[in-house]
Amino acid sequence: MKRQYRWLVYVIILSVLVPSVYSLVQGGGYPDFELVESVPIETVLDNPNIRNTAEVWLEMINGAKKTLDIEQFYISNEPNESLEPIIQAIISAGRRGVQVRIIAEMKFYKTYPETLDRLKQAKNISVRLIDFGKLAGGVQHAKYFIVDKKQVFVGSQNFDWRALSHIHELGLRIDNADCAKIFGDVFELDWNLAEKNDARLLNDVLIKKQYSVPIILTEPEHQKVSFVPVYSPTGWIPDESLWDEPKLIELIDSANQELVLQVLTYNPKTKDGYYAELDNALRRAAARGVKVKLVVSDWSKRKPQIFYLQSLAVLPNIEVKLSTIPQYSGGFIPYARVEHCKYLVADSRRSWLGTSNWEKGYFYDSRNLGVIIESERISELLHQIFMKSWNSPYTYYVKPEEEYQPPRIGE
């Protein structure tokens, strides 16, 4: 009888405690630090307890009271598609008195001008185009926005209807004024640069800073999240100690057991030769016994990218898979049906999530943002997401001897 009573007590305790713990672990993380995903429809990649991007974007934008600063690679909308409510919410924010500023890459404005022109005509919305090619040689590739100088969304999601319905994406919603300040200073820099797009003015508008990092959030159940906002390119950032390339190398070098990495493209080849830093860091990890798993989209079947993936795949302790998302039943959609996530997890303990693909230009020539995270819960969630892709029917091992043909991507 005593054993029966003891078991009954355990059951009662678990019934009270487990649901709250389970919801936190299986959800997007924490109230102030939340993983957010987009999943291609007609796939099995959805994580039901992680909120979808459109829901979170609407919540954040509709909650804006004073300011909304948006910096995007481009904005591409279609009537009756999933981005349209987001665009309407931005226009509504301006109408209720929120001061909205939008920066987009000039190069892609020529491809997708319609929605930016529409927003430009709306009340309290100002739009500037930044020519990052003219300024630094690359593109404005960051995807983020800041609400009321307190909330930040950053991730792989472009402001593109396809990113909400037909592309696998991961982002972070961060409710923290210190983080908003760090990324807000990048926005102010780019806003000022975009006024004239003259690289000679950099010294006039780039204000050097030294931020207090890491930022530490205390979440429910006394769980702590420690994180460092990072960015690129070097030379075009307020605090050079937050340049993301060395932070990523440090993260890789800290791994003792396992590294998992997912990016759209992985290419150490440059016009000047071999970009060694990140590639060598992964090879060093494998050489000291760390198990490395890498998922790259099939957009990397092109040469020379595929050669480098094949050279990794033959090494002990490194496994490389390509990912091919099936085409939509409604027909081919250009620049979609792909895994576009960009994240790294070390030992299910530390992680990085950002906007950079793993090519040199993203760190030296182009504007990108990211976050280095110290949190077992967030890292475990990212690891779960990775393994769902890794074990999905869409991924397959890179074969060193195979001659790959690149997929159709565009029109």
Side-chain angles (χ1 to χ4, degrees), residues 200-409:
R200 294 172 297 181
L201 299 177
L202 176 63
N203 291 334
D204 296 331
V205 297
L206 176 57
I207 301 173
K208 291 294 184 179
K209 301 287 183 71
Q210 188 170 2
Y211 301 101
S212 179
V213 293
I215 298 168
I216 298 175
L217 301 178
T218 302
E219 296 289 356
E221 301 178 357
H222 306 290
Q223 297 288 321
K224 288 187 177 181
V225 178
S226 175
F227 68 99
V228 178
V230 293
Y231 39 43
S232 59
T234 179
W236 295 79
I237 51 181
D239 187 344
E240 284 291 330
S241 72
L242 301 186
W243 180 33
D244 47 5
E245 185 204 74
K247 296 290 187 184
L248 282 168
I249 294 170
E250 179 188 353
L251 178 58
I252 295 168
D253 287 342
S254 75
N256 295 313
Q257 297 176 325
E258 183 189 52
L259 284 165
V260 300
L261 167 65
Q262 183 168 21
V263 285
L264 176 75
T265 57
Y266 182 97
N267 183 20
K269 174 69 175 176
T270 74
K271 62 182 179 181
D272 301 318
Y274 172 55
Y275 170 50
E277 280 73 11
L278 293 172
D279 193 53
N280 276 348
L282 289 182
R283 293 169 189 265
R284 280 198 307 273
R288 67 176 182 269
V290 176
K291 304 298 184 183
V292 179
K293 288 183 170 67
L294 172 60
V295 171
V296 181
S297 83
D298 60 1
W299 289 16
S300 284
K301 284 183 177 178
R302 287 170 171 75
K303 300 173 183 178
Q305 294 99 311
I306 191 63
F307 294 152
Y308 284 98
L309 295 175
Q310 289 172 315
S311 74
L312 285 172
V314 299
L315 296 177
N317 297 321
I318 297 185
E319 297 177 281
V320 184
K321 283 188 173 184
L322 293 166
S323 170
T324 297
I325 300 298
Q327 292 303 322
Y328 178 47
S329 63
F332 176 76
I333 302 173
Y335 308 108
R337 310 303 294 178
V338 69
E339 295 205 67
H340 190 246
C341 313
K342 307 155 200 315
Y343 63 99
L344 169 71
V345 185
D347 297 333
S348 295
R349 183 177 58 87
R350 300 181 68 205
S351 48
W352 161 82
L353 187 149
T355 70
S356 296
N357 297 308
W358 281 33
E359 302 180 32
K360 183 176 182 179
Y362 288 92
F363 303 98
Y364 288 81
D365 306 318
S366 296
R367 171 70 74 221
N368 282 286
L369 305 184
V371 183
I372 302 289
I373 308 158
E374 184 95 33
S375 165
E376 288 188 10
R377 180 166 292 172
I378 296 298
S379 297
E380 286 171 358
L381 283 169
L382 283 170
H383 190 273
Q384 291 172 21
I385 292 167
F386 178 88
M387 292 309 298
K388 191 163 192 174
S389 290
W390 181 264
N391 293 320
S392 77
Y394 317 123
T395 60
Y396 44 96
Y397 285 102
V398 168
K399 297 179 179 179
E401 72 283 359
E402 187 157 334
E403 184 74 21
Y404 288 97
Q405 297 300 317
R408 179 187 177 194
I409 296 174

Side-chain angles (χ1 to χ4, degrees), residues 28-30 32-37 50-51 53 56-57 60 143-145 151-157 169-175 179 183 225 227-229 342-343 351-355 369-373 378-379 381-382:
Y30 299 100
D32 294 335
F33 199 93
E34 178 184 7
L35 283 171
V36 180
E37 71 177 1
I50 295 179
R51 292 204 291 168
T53 304
V56 174
W57 283 2
M60 294 177 70
K143 311 103 171 27
Y144 71 108
F145 62 91
Q151 285 197 81
V152 174
F153 188 95
V154 60
S156 63
Q157 296 95 329
E169 312 270 17
L170 275 177
L172 282 169
R173 180 191 63 83
I174 304 172
D175 192 345
C179 178
F183 287 154
V225 178
F227 68 99
V228 178
K342 307 155 200 315
Y343 63 99
S351 48
W352 161 82
L353 187 149
T355 70
L369 305 184
V371 183
I372 302 289
I373 308 158
I378 296 298
S379 297
L381 283 169
L382 283 170

Side-chain angles (χ1 to χ4, degrees), residues 116-125 127:
L116 281 166
D117 287 345
R118 174 185 170 193
L119 289 165
K120 199 184 304 182
Q121 301 303 315
K123 183 179 180 181
N124 289 324
I125 298 180
V127 176

